[in-house]
Amino acid sequence: MASGPGSVASRRRRAAVGGVAALAVLAALTGLTPSASAAPAGTAAVAKAPAGFARVSGQARVFYAYSPHDDIRFSVDAKAAPFSRPVGGLPQGMPTDARGTVTISHWSPEKKQGRRAEAVVDCLATGGDTATLSAVVSKSEDPEEIGERLGFSVKTGGPGRGRFGFSWAVSNVDVVEGKAVFPHVGTCMAPAPFASVTKGGFKVTHAELPPLPAGWGKPQADEAGAR
């Protein structure tokens, strides 16, 4: 896959070194294996979003400057589903909650090896013809990757216009005790879409954020009583 999220879990235990940090990280993340196919898997069907809700769809091959000869592809079917993911502390969910699937495929013709993964979308935010989304890995050849959240960015268009970004390639680095480390990716957190589309394309359907439901963000009765 594109720089292989197959090693995402292990990245956090690894420090980047000196001025070659980005390339060292890229090599560490590739995690190519002979069993994967060059072609991306089809996008899984997801529940239909109500009219007027944000959506990102499409599939494309992208050009990644640090792996210029590799076949790197993403397939996205993400639909907004506001306030559909209640969690502790946010019992009504978030306005950017979303559903869908991201499929990632990376094939190296030089090594004749590749890697694939699928991730379940949990957040989507749009702005005109661009969007950021995040998804949690649900299928991968690397067991350590399951459960990791990845961030993506998308710009509408096909070759020459469309663009795509992914969190593990050129961003999401923190410094702890003077060493570069790789923190968790938060929902909808992704870099700008830095990679250009060379085949296929994406479509971003923008929608404004929905109104907050009554009582959103206020302490729940049981929580308030426990204080």
mmCIF file of all heavy atoms in Angstrom, residues 15-71:
data_model
loop_
_atom_site.group_PDB
_atom_site.id
_atom_site.type_symbol
_atom_site.label_atom_id
_atom_site.label_comp_id
_atom_site.label_asym_id
_atom_site.label_seq_id
_atom_site.Cartn_x
_atom_site.Cartn_y
_atom_site.Cartn_z
ATOM 1 N N ALA A 15 12.079 5.790 16.350
ATOM 2 C CA ALA A 15 12.422 7.205 16.195
ATOM 3 C C ALA A 15 13.050 7.438 14.837
ATOM 4 O O ALA A 15 13.803 6.610 14.326
ATOM 5 C CB ALA A 15 13.389 7.634 17.289
ATOM 6 N N ALA A 16 12.764 8.573 14.241
ATOM 7 C CA ALA A 16 13.399 8.953 12.986
ATOM 8 C C ALA A 16 14.781 9.503 13.287
ATOM 9 O O ALA A 16 15.034 10.053 14.340
ATOM 10 C CB ALA A 16 12.551 10.003 12.288
ATOM 11 N N VAL A 17 15.685 9.364 12.342
ATOM 12 C CA VAL A 17 17.067 9.733 12.578
ATOM 13 C C VAL A 17 17.498 10.832 11.624
ATOM 14 O O VAL A 17 17.434 10.667 10.408
ATOM 15 C CB VAL A 17 18.003 8.507 12.407
ATOM 16 C CG1 VAL A 17 19.442 8.917 12.681
ATOM 17 C CG2 VAL A 17 17.575 7.404 13.350
ATOM 18 N N GLY A 18 17.933 11.973 12.189
ATOM 19 C CA GLY A 18 18.591 13.042 11.443
ATOM 20 C C GLY A 18 17.806 13.535 10.254
ATOM 21 O O GLY A 18 16.594 13.473 10.195
ATOM 22 N N GLY A 19 18.538 14.052 9.246
ATOM 23 C CA GLY A 19 17.915 14.656 8.076
ATOM 24 C C GLY A 19 17.286 13.657 7.146
ATOM 25 O O GLY A 19 16.564 14.040 6.239
ATOM 26 N N VAL A 20 17.558 12.349 7.327
ATOM 27 C CA VAL A 20 16.964 11.337 6.445
ATOM 28 C C VAL A 20 15.753 10.698 7.111
ATOM 29 O O VAL A 20 15.328 9.615 6.733
ATOM 30 C CB VAL A 20 18.002 10.247 6.081
ATOM 31 C CG1 VAL A 20 19.137 10.849 5.308
ATOM 32 C CG2 VAL A 20 18.523 9.543 7.338
ATOM 33 N N ALA A 21 15.175 11.380 8.100
ATOM 34 C CA ALA A 21 14.066 10.802 8.863
ATOM 35 C C ALA A 21 12.912 10.384 7.966
ATOM 36 O O ALA A 21 12.383 9.287 8.090
ATOM 37 C CB ALA A 21 13.574 11.796 9.913
ATOM 38 N N ALA A 22 12.505 11.253 7.061
ATOM 39 C CA ALA A 22 11.333 10.961 6.229
ATOM 40 C C ALA A 22 11.555 9.721 5.385
ATOM 41 O O ALA A 22 10.676 8.864 5.270
ATOM 42 C CB ALA A 22 11.011 12.153 5.336
ATOM 43 N N LEU A 23 12.737 9.592 4.778
ATOM 44 C CA LEU A 23 12.999 8.434 3.934
ATOM 45 C C LEU A 23 13.138 7.175 4.764
ATOM 46 O O LEU A 23 12.726 6.097 4.338
ATOM 47 C CB LEU A 23 14.280 8.670 3.117
ATOM 48 C CG LEU A 23 14.177 9.788 2.085
ATOM 49 C CD1 LEU A 23 15.507 9.948 1.351
ATOM 50 C CD2 LEU A 23 13.069 9.510 1.093
ATOM 51 N N ALA A 24 13.710 7.283 5.961
ATOM 52 C CA ALA A 24 13.835 6.124 6.833
ATOM 53 C C ALA A 24 12.460 5.628 7.256
ATOM 54 O O ALA A 24 12.189 4.439 7.279
ATOM 55 C CB ALA A 24 14.669 6.480 8.065
ATOM 56 N N VAL A 25 11.587 6.568 7.585
ATOM 57 C CA VAL A 25 10.230 6.201 7.963
ATOM 58 C C VAL A 25 9.511 5.539 6.798
ATOM 59 O O VAL A 25 8.826 4.533 6.948
ATOM 60 C CB VAL A 25 9.455 7.449 8.421
ATOM 61 C CG1 VAL A 25 7.978 7.136 8.591
ATOM 62 C CG2 VAL A 25 10.033 7.956 9.731
ATOM 63 N N LEU A 26 9.675 6.101 5.593
ATOM 64 C CA LEU A 26 9.038 5.534 4.411
ATOM 65 C C LEU A 26 9.440 4.084 4.224
ATOM 66 O O LEU A 26 8.614 3.217 3.990
ATOM 67 C CB LEU A 26 9.421 6.345 3.178
ATOM 68 C CG LEU A 26 8.929 5.797 1.843
ATOM 69 C CD1 LEU A 26 7.410 5.839 1.802
ATOM 70 C CD2 LEU A 26 9.518 6.578 0.706
ATOM 71 N N ALA A 27 10.741 3.814 4.347
ATOM 72 C CA ALA A 27 11.224 2.451 4.170
ATOM 73 C C ALA A 27 10.656 1.526 5.240
ATOM 74 O O ALA A 27 10.298 0.387 4.977
ATOM 75 C CB ALA A 27 12.756 2.436 4.220
ATOM 76 N N ALA A 28 10.554 2.048 6.474
ATOM 77 C CA ALA A 28 10.033 1.239 7.565
ATOM 78 C C ALA A 28 8.563 0.931 7.389
ATOM 79 O O ALA A 28 8.082 -0.130 7.775
ATOM 80 C CB ALA A 28 10.258 1.962 8.894
ATOM 81 N N LEU A 29 7.838 1.861 6.793
ATOM 82 C CA LEU A 29 6.393 1.693 6.674
ATOM 83 C C LEU A 29 5.971 0.836 5.500
ATOM 84 O O LEU A 29 4.846 0.371 5.456
ATOM 85 C CB LEU A 29 5.728 3.063 6.529
ATOM 86 C CG LEU A 29 5.826 3.989 7.732
ATOM 87 C CD1 LEU A 29 5.119 5.290 7.414
ATOM 88 C CD2 LEU A 29 5.209 3.347 8.948
ATOM 89 N N THR A 30 6.847 0.652 4.526
ATOM 90 C CA THR A 30 6.441 -0.015 3.292
ATOM 91 C C THR A 30 5.874 -1.397 3.561
ATOM 92 O O THR A 30 4.810 -1.758 3.095
ATOM 93 C CB THR A 30 7.621 -0.119 2.314
ATOM 94 O OG1 THR A 30 8.075 1.191 2.037
ATOM 95 C CG2 THR A 30 7.200 -0.803 1.037
ATOM 96 N N GLY A 31 6.578 -2.231 4.320
ATOM 97 C CA GLY A 31 6.059 -3.518 4.729
ATOM 98 C C GLY A 31 5.513 -4.338 3.593
ATOM 99 O O GLY A 31 4.459 -4.942 3.705
ATOM 100 N N LEU A 32 6.202 -4.384 2.439
ATOM 101 C CA LEU A 32 5.685 -5.096 1.279
ATOM 102 C C LEU A 32 5.743 -6.603 1.489
ATOM 103 O O LEU A 32 6.688 -7.132 2.057
ATOM 104 C CB LEU A 32 6.509 -4.718 0.044
ATOM 105 C CG LEU A 32 6.440 -3.244 -0.348
ATOM 106 C CD1 LEU A 32 7.399 -2.971 -1.476
ATOM 107 C CD2 LEU A 32 5.031 -2.867 -0.746
ATOM 108 N N THR A 33 4.726 -7.297 0.994
ATOM 109 C CA THR A 33 4.686 -8.747 1.073
ATOM 110 C C THR A 33 4.290 -9.309 -0.276
ATOM 111 O O THR A 33 3.515 -8.707 -1.011
ATOM 112 C CB THR A 33 3.665 -9.225 2.128
ATOM 113 O OG1 THR A 33 2.384 -8.737 1.762
ATOM 114 C CG2 THR A 33 4.033 -8.710 3.511
ATOM 115 N N PRO A 34 4.823 -10.491 -0.658
ATOM 116 C CA PRO A 34 4.575 -11.034 -1.992
ATOM 117 C C PRO A 34 3.127 -11.407 -2.251
ATOM 118 O O PRO A 34 2.732 -11.550 -3.390
ATOM 119 C CB PRO A 34 5.455 -12.297 -2.019
ATOM 120 C CG PRO A 34 6.426 -12.128 -0.916
ATOM 121 C CD PRO A 34 5.750 -11.299 0.114
ATOM 122 N N SER A 35 2.303 -11.577 -1.226
ATOM 123 C CA SER A 35 0.976 -12.144 -1.430
ATOM 124 C C SER A 35 -0.059 -11.154 -1.931
ATOM 125 O O SER A 35 -1.126 -11.549 -2.364
ATOM 126 C CB SER A 35 0.471 -12.745 -0.109
ATOM 127 O OG SER A 35 0.416 -11.743 0.889
ATOM 128 N N ALA A 36 0.215 -9.861 -1.862
ATOM 129 C CA ALA A 36 -0.810 -8.879 -2.221
ATOM 130 C C ALA A 36 -0.875 -8.654 -3.713
ATOM 131 O O ALA A 36 0.093 -8.791 -4.434
ATOM 132 C CB ALA A 36 -0.536 -7.552 -1.507
ATOM 133 N N SER A 37 -2.048 -8.267 -4.181
ATOM 134 C CA SER A 37 -2.257 -7.999 -5.602
ATOM 135 C C SER A 37 -2.001 -6.549 -5.913
ATOM 136 O O SER A 37 -2.071 -5.684 -5.050
ATOM 137 C CB SER A 37 -3.703 -8.356 -5.965
ATOM 138 O OG SER A 37 -4.037 -7.848 -7.222
ATOM 139 N N ALA A 38 -1.717 -6.246 -7.169
ATOM 140 C CA ALA A 38 -1.491 -4.872 -7.586
ATOM 141 C C ALA A 38 -2.781 -4.083 -7.609
ATOM 142 O O ALA A 38 -2.784 -2.880 -7.468
ATOM 143 C CB ALA A 38 -0.860 -4.845 -8.983
ATOM 144 N N ALA A 39 -3.895 -4.727 -7.823
ATOM 145 C CA ALA A 39 -5.171 -4.020 -7.968
ATOM 146 C C ALA A 39 -5.840 -3.852 -6.623
ATOM 147 O O ALA A 39 -5.807 -4.749 -5.788
ATOM 148 C CB ALA A 39 -6.092 -4.800 -8.902
ATOM 149 N N PRO A 40 -6.475 -2.682 -6.362
ATOM 150 C CA PRO A 40 -7.164 -2.465 -5.102
ATOM 151 C C PRO A 40 -8.459 -3.245 -5.031
ATOM 152 O O PRO A 40 -9.077 -3.536 -6.041
ATOM 153 C CB PRO A 40 -7.449 -0.955 -5.115
ATOM 154 C CG PRO A 40 -7.544 -0.626 -6.568
ATOM 155 C CD PRO A 40 -6.567 -1.539 -7.263
ATOM 156 N N ALA A 41 -8.854 -3.571 -3.817
ATOM 157 C CA ALA A 41 -10.117 -4.288 -3.643
ATOM 158 C C ALA A 41 -11.280 -3.346 -3.897
ATOM 159 O O ALA A 41 -11.157 -2.142 -3.779
ATOM 160 C CB ALA A 41 -10.203 -4.844 -2.213
ATOM 161 N N GLY A 42 -12.425 -3.918 -4.233
ATOM 162 C CA GLY A 42 -13.604 -3.095 -4.481
ATOM 163 C C GLY A 42 -14.098 -2.449 -3.194
ATOM 164 O O GLY A 42 -13.868 -2.948 -2.101
ATOM 165 N N THR A 43 -14.774 -1.346 -3.339
ATOM 166 C CA THR A 43 -15.284 -0.638 -2.177
ATOM 167 C C THR A 43 -16.535 -1.321 -1.657
ATOM 168 O O THR A 43 -17.441 -1.625 -2.403
ATOM 169 C CB THR A 43 -15.619 0.818 -2.556
ATOM 170 O OG1 THR A 43 -14.444 1.424 -3.078
ATOM 171 C CG2 THR A 43 -16.116 1.598 -1.348
ATOM 172 N N ALA A 44 -16.561 -1.561 -0.362
ATOM 173 C CA ALA A 44 -17.709 -2.217 0.233
ATOM 174 C C ALA A 44 -18.910 -1.276 0.256
ATOM 175 O O ALA A 44 -18.773 -0.069 0.387
ATOM 176 C CB ALA A 44 -17.376 -2.655 1.670
ATOM 177 N N ALA A 45 -20.108 -1.851 0.131
ATOM 178 C CA ALA A 45 -21.320 -1.040 0.164
ATOM 179 C C ALA A 45 -21.571 -0.550 1.587
ATOM 180 O O ALA A 45 -21.311 -1.256 2.553
ATOM 181 C CB ALA A 45 -22.513 -1.872 -0.312
ATOM 182 N N VAL A 46 -22.061 0.673 1.714
ATOM 183 C CA VAL A 46 -22.371 1.235 3.018
ATOM 184 C C VAL A 46 -23.778 1.814 2.979
ATOM 185 O O VAL A 46 -24.366 2.006 1.920
ATOM 186 C CB VAL A 46 -21.358 2.336 3.416
ATOM 187 C CG1 VAL A 46 -19.970 1.757 3.549
ATOM 188 C CG2 VAL A 46 -21.351 3.464 2.385
ATOM 189 N N ALA A 47 -24.309 2.101 4.167
ATOM 190 C CA ALA A 47 -25.664 2.634 4.250
ATOM 191 C C ALA A 47 -25.771 3.958 3.518
ATOM 192 O O ALA A 47 -24.870 4.785 3.563
ATOM 193 C CB ALA A 47 -26.050 2.799 5.719
ATOM 194 N N LYS A 48 -26.896 4.159 2.832
ATOM 195 C CA LYS A 48 -27.096 5.374 2.064
ATOM 196 C C LYS A 48 -27.266 6.572 2.975
ATOM 197 O O LYS A 48 -28.037 6.543 3.922
ATOM 198 C CB LYS A 48 -28.335 5.225 1.181
ATOM 199 C CG LYS A 48 -28.568 6.422 0.266
ATOM 200 C CD LYS A 48 -29.758 6.182 -0.622
ATOM 201 C CE LYS A 48 -29.998 7.369 -1.557
ATOM 202 N NZ LYS A 48 -31.160 7.141 -2.425
ATOM 203 N N ALA A 49 -26.499 7.633 2.695
ATOM 204 C CA ALA A 49 -26.598 8.846 3.511
ATOM 205 C C ALA A 49 -27.798 9.667 3.071
ATOM 206 O O ALA A 49 -28.152 9.686 1.898
ATOM 207 C CB ALA A 49 -25.321 9.682 3.362
ATOM 208 N N PRO A 50 -28.451 10.334 4.018
ATOM 209 C CA PRO A 50 -29.585 11.189 3.646
ATOM 210 C C PRO A 50 -29.151 12.272 2.672
ATOM 211 O O PRO A 50 -28.005 12.694 2.659
ATOM 212 C CB PRO A 50 -30.025 11.782 4.996
ATOM 213 C CG PRO A 50 -29.488 10.842 6.026
ATOM 214 C CD PRO A 50 -28.220 10.301 5.458
ATOM 215 N N ALA A 51 -30.094 12.727 1.838
ATOM 216 C CA ALA A 51 -29.791 13.789 0.884
ATOM 217 C C ALA A 51 -29.310 15.023 1.627
ATOM 218 O O ALA A 51 -29.839 15.377 2.679
ATOM 219 C CB ALA A 51 -31.036 14.115 0.066
ATOM 220 N N GLY A 52 -28.311 15.683 1.069
ATOM 221 C CA GLY A 52 -27.792 16.880 1.701
ATOM 222 C C GLY A 52 -26.633 16.633 2.635
ATOM 223 O O GLY A 52 -26.053 17.593 3.140
ATOM 224 N N PHE A 53 -26.274 15.372 2.874
ATOM 225 C CA PHE A 53 -25.145 15.068 3.734
ATOM 226 C C PHE A 53 -23.868 14.950 2.899
ATOM 227 O O PHE A 53 -23.903 14.615 1.723
ATOM 228 C CB PHE A 53 -25.377 13.767 4.500
ATOM 229 C CG PHE A 53 -26.278 13.905 5.698
ATOM 230 C CD1 PHE A 53 -27.078 15.028 5.865
ATOM 231 C CD2 PHE A 53 -26.316 12.928 6.665
ATOM 232 C CE1 PHE A 53 -27.901 15.162 6.961
ATOM 233 C CE2 PHE A 53 -27.133 13.047 7.774
ATOM 234 C CZ PHE A 53 -27.941 14.171 7.923
ATOM 235 N N ALA A 54 -22.739 15.207 3.533
ATOM 236 C CA ALA A 54 -21.458 15.157 2.844
ATOM 237 C C ALA A 54 -21.121 13.736 2.411
ATOM 238 O O ALA A 54 -21.548 12.759 3.031
ATOM 239 C CB ALA A 54 -20.360 15.696 3.758
ATOM 240 N N ARG A 55 -20.334 13.656 1.331
ATOM 241 C CA ARG A 55 -19.917 12.349 0.837
ATOM 242 C C ARG A 55 -18.616 12.482 0.051
ATOM 243 O O ARG A 55 -18.366 13.514 -0.575
ATOM 244 C CB ARG A 55 -20.993 11.737 -0.065
ATOM 245 C CG ARG A 55 -20.588 10.385 -0.644
ATOM 246 C CD ARG A 55 -21.707 9.723 -1.413
ATOM 247 N NE ARG A 55 -21.281 8.421 -1.911
ATOM 248 C CZ ARG A 55 -22.061 7.568 -2.546
ATOM 249 N NH1 ARG A 55 -23.331 7.873 -2.767
ATOM 250 N NH2 ARG A 55 -21.599 6.403 -2.957
ATOM 251 N N VAL A 56 -17.803 11.424 0.088
ATOM 252 C CA VAL A 56 -16.622 11.316 -0.764
ATOM 253 C C VAL A 56 -16.658 9.948 -1.425
ATOM 254 O O VAL A 56 -16.862 8.929 -0.753
ATOM 255 C CB VAL A 56 -15.311 11.458 0.035
ATOM 256 C CG1 VAL A 56 -14.109 11.252 -0.876
ATOM 257 C CG2 VAL A 56 -15.227 12.830 0.703
ATOM 258 N N SER A 57 -16.473 9.901 -2.743
ATOM 259 C CA SER A 57 -16.494 8.629 -3.444
ATOM 260 C C SER A 57 -15.465 8.646 -4.575
ATOM 261 O O SER A 57 -15.056 9.700 -5.051
ATOM 262 C CB SER A 57 -17.887 8.342 -4.006
ATOM 263 O OG SER A 57 -18.274 9.364 -4.911
ATOM 264 N N GLY A 58 -15.068 7.447 -4.987
ATOM 265 C CA GLY A 58 -14.154 7.315 -6.109
ATOM 266 C C GLY A 58 -12.976 6.420 -5.795
ATOM 267 O O GLY A 58 -12.788 5.973 -4.660
ATOM 268 N N GLN A 59 -12.199 6.164 -6.823
ATOM 269 C CA GLN A 59 -10.973 5.389 -6.666
ATOM 270 C C GLN A 59 -9.950 5.909 -7.662
ATOM 271 O O GLN A 59 -10.302 6.353 -8.756
ATOM 272 C CB GLN A 59 -11.226 3.897 -6.858
ATOM 273 C CG GLN A 59 -11.913 3.513 -8.150
ATOM 274 C CD GLN A 59 -12.222 2.027 -8.171
ATOM 275 O OE1 GLN A 59 -11.529 1.202 -7.580
ATOM 276 N NE2 GLN A 59 -13.298 1.658 -8.864
ATOM 277 N N ALA A 60 -8.689 5.862 -7.274
ATOM 278 C CA ALA A 60 -7.669 6.453 -8.136
ATOM 279 C C ALA A 60 -6.289 5.901 -7.810
ATOM 280 O O ALA A 60 -6.020 5.459 -6.695
ATOM 281 C CB ALA A 60 -7.660 7.974 -7.988
ATOM 282 N N ARG A 61 -5.446 5.964 -8.815
ATOM 283 C CA ARG A 61 -4.025 5.764 -8.619
ATOM 284 C C ARG A 61 -3.398 7.137 -8.408
ATOM 285 O O ARG A 61 -3.787 8.111 -9.053
ATOM 286 C CB ARG A 61 -3.400 5.096 -9.846
ATOM 287 C CG ARG A 61 -1.894 4.876 -9.722
ATOM 288 C CD ARG A 61 -1.343 4.130 -10.923
ATOM 289 N NE ARG A 61 0.099 3.962 -10.823
ATOM 290 C CZ ARG A 61 0.835 3.260 -11.678
ATOM 291 N NH1 ARG A 61 0.238 2.656 -12.719
ATOM 292 N NH2 ARG A 61 2.139 3.142 -11.513
ATOM 293 N N VAL A 62 -2.438 7.225 -7.465
ATOM 294 C CA VAL A 62 -1.820 8.510 -7.174
ATOM 295 C C VAL A 62 -0.308 8.424 -7.357
ATOM 296 O O VAL A 62 0.284 7.342 -7.311
ATOM 297 C CB VAL A 62 -2.146 8.980 -5.739
ATOM 298 C CG1 VAL A 62 -3.654 9.076 -5.538
ATOM 299 C CG2 VAL A 62 -1.516 8.069 -4.693
ATOM 300 N N PHE A 63 0.291 9.593 -7.578
ATOM 301 C CA PHE A 63 1.750 9.686 -7.694
ATOM 302 C C PHE A 63 2.323 10.141 -6.360
ATOM 303 O O PHE A 63 1.999 11.225 -5.861
ATOM 304 C CB PHE A 63 2.138 10.683 -8.782
ATOM 305 C CG PHE A 63 3.634 10.914 -8.853
ATOM 306 C CD1 PHE A 63 4.459 9.993 -9.473
ATOM 307 C CD2 PHE A 63 4.195 12.047 -8.284
ATOM 308 C CE1 PHE A 63 5.829 10.194 -9.528
ATOM 309 C CE2 PHE A 63 5.566 12.266 -8.331
ATOM 310 C CZ PHE A 63 6.388 11.334 -8.962
ATOM 311 N N TYR A 64 3.191 9.290 -5.786
ATOM 312 C CA TYR A 64 3.845 9.596 -4.520
ATOM 313 C C TYR A 64 5.333 9.827 -4.795
ATOM 314 O O TYR A 64 6.030 8.943 -5.287
ATOM 315 C CB TYR A 64 3.634 8.454 -3.535
ATOM 316 C CG TYR A 64 4.241 8.667 -2.177
ATOM 317 C CD1 TYR A 64 4.105 9.884 -1.513
ATOM 318 C CD2 TYR A 64 4.936 7.646 -1.543
ATOM 319 C CE1 TYR A 64 4.653 10.070 -0.257
ATOM 320 C CE2 TYR A 64 5.482 7.821 -0.283
ATOM 321 C CZ TYR A 64 5.337 9.035 0.353
ATOM 322 O OH TYR A 64 5.883 9.226 1.601
ATOM 323 N N ALA A 65 5.813 11.016 -4.495
ATOM 324 C CA ALA A 65 7.160 11.429 -4.898
ATOM 325 C C ALA A 65 8.257 10.501 -4.399
ATOM 326 O O ALA A 65 9.296 10.356 -5.072
ATOM 327 C CB ALA A 65 7.426 12.855 -4.398
ATOM 328 N N TYR A 66 8.052 9.860 -3.244
ATOM 329 C CA TYR A 66 9.112 9.023 -2.681
ATOM 330 C C TYR A 66 9.023 7.571 -3.136
ATOM 331 O O TYR A 66 9.874 6.762 -2.773
ATOM 332 C CB TYR A 66 9.092 9.129 -1.151
ATOM 333 C CG TYR A 66 9.261 10.557 -0.688
ATOM 334 C CD1 TYR A 66 8.309 11.168 0.105
ATOM 335 C CD2 TYR A 66 10.361 11.316 -1.098
ATOM 336 C CE1 TYR A 66 8.455 12.487 0.500
ATOM 337 C CE2 TYR A 66 10.507 12.629 -0.712
ATOM 338 C CZ TYR A 66 9.554 13.222 0.090
ATOM 339 O OH TYR A 66 9.694 14.527 0.476
ATOM 340 N N SER A 67 7.998 7.240 -3.901
ATOM 341 C CA SER A 67 7.894 5.919 -4.541
ATOM 342 C C SER A 67 7.345 6.144 -5.946
ATOM 343 O O SER A 67 6.241 5.707 -6.275
ATOM 344 C CB SER A 67 6.972 4.987 -3.745
ATOM 345 O OG SER A 67 7.445 4.772 -2.439
ATOM 346 N N PRO A 68 8.096 6.837 -6.803
ATOM 347 C CA PRO A 68 7.548 7.307 -8.085
ATOM 348 C C PRO A 68 7.142 6.215 -9.061
ATOM 349 O O PRO A 68 6.330 6.472 -9.950
ATOM 350 C CB PRO A 68 8.693 8.160 -8.646
ATOM 351 C CG PRO A 68 9.926 7.612 -8.000
ATOM 352 C CD PRO A 68 9.504 7.216 -6.619
ATOM 353 N N HIS A 69 7.692 5.015 -8.931
ATOM 354 C CA HIS A 69 7.385 3.944 -9.887
ATOM 355 C C HIS A 69 6.351 2.948 -9.341
ATOM 356 O O HIS A 69 5.963 2.021 -10.057
ATOM 357 C CB HIS A 69 8.664 3.212 -10.276
ATOM 358 C CG HIS A 69 9.716 4.111 -10.847
ATOM 359 N ND1 HIS A 69 9.537 4.808 -12.021
ATOM 360 C CD2 HIS A 69 10.952 4.443 -10.372
ATOM 361 C CE1 HIS A 69 10.621 5.536 -12.272
ATOM 362 N NE2 HIS A 69 11.482 5.341 -11.292
ATOM 363 N N ASP A 70 5.933 3.135 -8.112
ATOM 364 C CA ASP A 70 5.014 2.180 -7.501
ATOM 365 C C ASP A 70 3.560 2.480 -7.878
ATOM 366 O O ASP A 70 3.203 3.622 -8.162
ATOM 367 C CB ASP A 70 5.150 2.207 -5.978
ATOM 368 C CG ASP A 70 6.458 1.589 -5.506
ATOM 369 O OD1 ASP A 70 7.296 1.231 -6.367
ATOM 370 O OD2 ASP A 70 6.655 1.473 -4.284
ATOM 371 N N ASP A 71 2.747 1.447 -7.892
ATOM 372 C CA ASP A 71 1.319 1.557 -8.175
ATOM 373 C C ASP A 71 0.596 1.696 -6.836
ATOM 374 O O ASP A 71 0.415 0.720 -6.108
ATOM 375 C CB ASP A 71 0.849 0.308 -8.918
ATOM 376 C CG ASP A 71 -0.580 0.422 -9.413
ATOM 377 O OD1 ASP A 71 -1.326 1.252 -8.865
ATOM 378 O OD2 ASP A 71 -0.938 -0.317 -10.330
#
